[in-house]
Amino acid sequence: GCGGGGGGMASCRRLSGAGLREVLGPAQGLLFDCDGVLWAGERAVPGAPELLERLRRSGKAALFVSNNSRRSIAELERRFTRLGFRGVRAEHVFSSALCSALFLRQRLLGGGGNGSGAGRVFVLGGEGLRGEVRDAGLRLAGEDEPAPGEPVRAVLVGYDDQFTFAKLAQACGYLRDPQCLLVATDPDPWHPLSDGQRTPGTGSLTAAVETASGRKALVVGKPNTYMFDCIVERFGVDPSRTLMVGDRLETDILFGKNCGLATILTLTGVSRLEEAQAYMASDSAAAKDLVPNYYVDSIADLIPGLDE
Amino acid sequence: AALPGPAPKDWVQAPLDPAVRAVLVGFDEHFSYAKLCQALRYLLRGGPDCLLVGTNRDHRLPLEGGAGIPGTGCLVKAVETAAQREAFIVGKPNRFMFDCVAGEFQVDPARTIMVGDRLDTDILMGNDCGLTTLLTLTGVTALDEVRSHQDSGCPARHSLVPDFYVDSIADLLPALGE
């Protein structure tokens, strides 16, 4: 196997040389986070498109799992192409927007059927997220006249740069019904911008809704494992032969640990090596789960581990 | 000021006021993501040199009929989460406001009664400051809440229990002589 999951703390070893071949050789596939791993803003990480190409030639699967709830899958597919990544199809891409829609479809529509009588979803988020919810067969609150028997059955909090107090109050109104679910796309407190600044994440908006409503949100995104369930359902991935590659210890690496995957931290994104080392030195059991098995400066460093 | 563009990546290009040294979060019915973004910018720029202060942590402001609107606490939590730091809260149950009152009016806690409707703000502050505490039932708290804190084995929850209660502050009238 790849040395992941199971008991014992990971040891945050730099992956290079012979170690690289030992780890990548047996792997059947890699799950990649996107922001800070494949690209930063509008720039692909140098060597990242080549890595994906080499993975394809080696017969290893590449799937993508992102907490970013801004974009629809179709937009993400176009983004891959625009940034120079070839051969990535929509079905390979799992975003928290898509998975939140699938989660709500499961909970509100059960095993299938149409949307009538299932209730509506109040979405705090942009058009990318709203589109995924509609594509899942759900109806959104605030769009056209509600039919009888169509109460709001879920509030979905996503990345919403148009969030306002009024929307917060509206969400709380719906959540007074204990049958109404509170779901969040991801827990990220902030996201980096290309110039080193930060923009507030879904996690900060969810905190406001939770505080106002007295409810805890069901969080779909990493580090929770639901997105992995979606991946397994579509592709039947073997965790013991799959590597998780990410840039954020608290989401990507913990997600890998939770799903029984070996983890690789790449340093082109949010988390610094010192943070991983601090978690490793910590006495807390929870901190140990944030330590990656391996790290690289960039995913381009994985290329020498693949056959020519 | 108008936003310099439609998206956060435009907003963060606007210059910051060099004199800002604190972010103060109060009740803001015009709270927005853009404001949250701006608060985060000041807090990141200033680090520990930029204060983060919240007026209070109330979750809800109750309206008639059991409805309510989100309280300041929600907005404080949003900023705290984005900035990954804790705000200094001025309001009850923090004793800061009592210290302000006591300093100005020479209040003797042993001879002062705190009257309130909310256990985790009014009564907690009163108990922490050594006041006699009186709960009135015309607001958010029902008596069974008090009983459950009383019966819990938890010292922190015992601090939420008032010394006395009345159905309404009007019940105090007979005790005040002609």
Side-chain angles (χ1 to χ4, degrees), chain B residues 54-74:
Chain B
T55 55
N56 60 297
R57 283 208 187 275
D58 294 51
H59 298 175
R60 287 176 81 233
L61 303 184
L63 303 176
E64 287 169 42
I69 54 174
T72 306
C74 311

Side-chain angles (χ1 to χ4, degrees), chain B residues 44-83:
Chain B
L44 288 174
R45 180 188 73 173
D49 292 336
C50 182
L51 299 178
L52 173 56
V53 182
T55 55
N56 60 297
R57 283 208 187 275
D58 294 51
H59 298 175
R60 287 176 81 233
L61 303 184
L63 303 176
E64 287 169 42
I69 54 174
T72 306
C74 311
L75 311 183
V76 172
K77 258 277 170 240
V79 178
E80 288 181 313
T81 304

